[in-house]
Amino acid sequence: MTSHPEFRRYLADVDTTSTHQLFTDCLVIGAGIAGLRAAIEAAERCSVIIVCKDSLQNSNTYKAQGGIASVLERTDTFEAHIADTLGAGCGISDEAIVDLVVRQGPQLIEQLLEWGTEFDMVDNHIAATLEGGHTQARVAHAHGDETGRIITDSLIKKVRQNPNIKILENFYAIDLLTNDNKECIGVIGHDRLGMEIIWAANTILATGGAGRLYRETSNPDVATGDGLAMAYRAGAVLQDLEFMQFHPTTLYIAGASRLWLPRHCGEKVLFCWTAKGRRL
Ligand SMILES: Cc1cc2nc3c(=O)[nH]c(=O)nc-3n(C[C@H](O)[C@H](O)[C@H](O)COP(=O)(O)OP(=O)(O)OC[C@H]3O[C@@H](n4cnc5c(N)ncnc54)[C@H](O)[C@@H]3O)c2cc1C
């Protein structure tokens, strides 16, 4: 970690002697698919606290609709999936990471199935659909376009059943705490009781992206890049900030959220526009 002297190191002004404090082996900040999955893994070895700034259901993960790509059919291969991914990435993907993710995909999807994710099935195996950028049918969906909600629900159930995991919703993480050696030793945050400190031997930052910084966005309101900012103030080196995740189709109603949720809009759906401006 390096220091950035031009920035105020801590935003929170806290007196540690009078602030409520918690202690844990592993702190996970963020409860989307990354945070929930990391908490389940860490809880096999130690005590875990997982925090999120709103409810467990308010995340990009919960809103994701399309599905997950993986090699699911006998006619498909890891090599073909890797080639498609590198092609879609126009040569800037990290090949080692692509290789790792593609090869672990089938077993991780199988694990989600075992944990209760109700993927759409056909003839007793996961139904794979063909989508943009892929030369093979390899996208798994759950309840049609509710993939994110169904996966999140199964992960939340798994987390709630684990006695090693404590969940704190509505906990707004503000600053990562670091010691003199610049190691992260916990977080300062705010919840309904006021300021809180969580001291942690290990901290996993899984706070998602920053899509909500833009006025026009399909991201939910929690995606404001807090994790990136607090890591930067703590001295972390950030990378790949130019990559902003958003859903390419959205709904325009003046003054309303751009979150693409047709099933909740009913007759209020007016027009849907693709990324190229075509009306659907
Ligand atoms: C409409 C839509 C459709 C999508 N469709 C697809 C799809 O079909 N396929 C696909 O692969 N991806 C899709 N995505 C993208 C996908 O959802 C995300 O890439 C993924 O869910 C990110 O997961 P995450 O765990 O990193 O972050 P998130 O799911 O965003 O979770 C972030 C967590 O961090 C917490 N957090 C943030 N700041 C703080 C703070 N200061 N203090 C405490 N907690 C904090 C939040 O409360 C939340 O719990 C879609 C996204 C959207 C919005």
Side-chain angles (χ1 to χ4, degrees), residues 180-194:
D180 292 342
N181 295 328
K182 302 280 181 209
E183 293 160 337
C184 184
I185 50 173
V187 76
I188 303 172
H190 189 278
D191 64 12
R192 285 175 179 158
L193 299 174

Side-chain angles (χ1 to χ4, degrees), residues 30-34 53 59-61 64-67 171 173 207-208 218 226 245 247:
I33 193 169
K53 92 177 161 185
S59 66
N60 262 327
T61 306
Q65 300 181 332
F171 181 101
T207 44
S218 57
D226 314 359
Q245 199 281 333
H247 199 269

Side-chain angles (χ1 to χ4, degrees), residues 104-258:
Q104 290 196 352
Q107 72 199 61
L108 290 174
I109 288 192
E110 192 60 37
Q111 188 179 59
L112 285 173
L113 197 60
E114 281 168 23
W115 290 353
T117 305
E118 295 167 348
F119 286 111
D120 299 333
M121 308 289 282
V122 59
D123 297 335
N124 229 13
H125 70 271
I126 294 174
T129 57
L130 180 63
E131 294 194 3
H134 297 281
T135 54
Q136 299 278 330
R138 56 170 79 104
V139 179
H141 293 253
H143 292 209
D145 64 359
E146 296 191 66
T147 313
R149 180 177 76 78
I150 301 298
I151 291 175
T152 310
D153 283 345
S154 64
L155 291 176
I156 290 173
K157 193 168 162 207
K158 188 94 182 146
V159 163
R160 286 198 195 284
Q161 285 168 347
N162 194 317
N164 277 352
I165 306 177
K166 183 182 173 70
I167 304 165
L168 298 181
E169 292 176 88
N170 301 297
F171 181 101
Y172 200 125
I174 300 169
D175 280 314
L176 294 173
L177 286 158
T178 47
N179 62 15
D180 292 342
N181 295 328
K182 302 280 181 209
E183 293 160 337
C184 184
I185 50 173
V187 76
I188 303 172
H190 189 278
D191 64 12
R192 285 175 179 158
L193 299 174
M195 298 304 285
E196 293 245 22
I197 295 177
I198 305 176
W199 300 101
N202 304 280
T203 301
I204 297 173
L205 202 51
T207 44
R212 197 69 190 198
L213 296 184
Y214 296 88
R215 193 188 71 172
E216 304 301 335
T217 177
S218 57
N219 282 216
D221 53 13
V222 291
T224 45
D226 314 359
L228 293 167
M230 68 182 104
Y232 186 68
R233 289 195 302 278
V237 176
L238 307 184
Q239 69 174 54
D240 297 336
L241 293 179
E242 70 275 30
F243 293 102
M244 202 58 62
Q245 199 281 333
F246 63 94
H247 199 269
T249 50
T250 189
L251 174 68
Y252 178 81
I253 298 178
S257 165
R258 300 289 176 263

Side-chain angles (χ1 to χ4, degrees), residues 4 62 170:
H4 304 292
Y62 201 81
N170 301 297

